[in-house]
């Protein structure tokens, strides 16, 4: 659904990802930091997991996001 740079910036996203983020176009979100849409209580866990994946780790993580229009989903 998305490609994220090690610094947390969103590089690419498909249509399903745009719908999840409640974005009307990729231009609204590409280049922005993914942490901006991760629910505040999940940000540290997300960032730690992201760093691990960037270093070659593997796994899965459930976390909530808050879309651009305020919708929340896991």
């Amino acid at each position: 659904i998305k490609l994220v740079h090690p610094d947390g910036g969103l590089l690419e996203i498909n249509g399903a990802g745009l719908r999840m983020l409640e974005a009307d176009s990729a231009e609204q979100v590409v280049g922005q930091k993914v942490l901006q849409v991760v629910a505040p209580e999940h940000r540290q866990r997300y960032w730690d997991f992201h760093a691990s994946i960037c270093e070659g780790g593997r796994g899965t993580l459930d976390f909530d996001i808050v879309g651009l229009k305020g919708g929340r989903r896991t």
Side-chain angles (χ1 to χ4, degrees):
I1 292 178
K2 64 183 174 15
L3 179 61
V4 180
H5 190 277
D7 74 3
L10 184 63
L11 299 172
E12 294 181 34
I13 190 165
N14 68 7
L18 290 173
R19 288 187 295 279
M20 287 179 68
L21 296 179
E22 301 176 327
D24 297 319
S25 69
E27 290 77 19
Q28 284 184 283
V29 293
V30 169
Q32 301 298 315
K33 300 294 184 184
V34 172
L35 279 181
Q36 293 176 330
V37 296
V38 175
E41 67 272 20
H42 296 276
R43 287 182 181 159
Q44 188 61 55
R45 281 188 324 112
Y46 173 86
W47 188 251
D48 293 344
F49 180 76
H50 175 73
S52 172
I53 295 300
C54 289
E55 293 173 358
R58 298 175 67 168
T60 60
L61 178 70
D62 290 331
F63 60 95
D64 289 358
I65 61 168
V66 180
L68 300 181
K69 298 175 183 172
R72 188 177 178 114
R73 62 178 41 185
T74 300

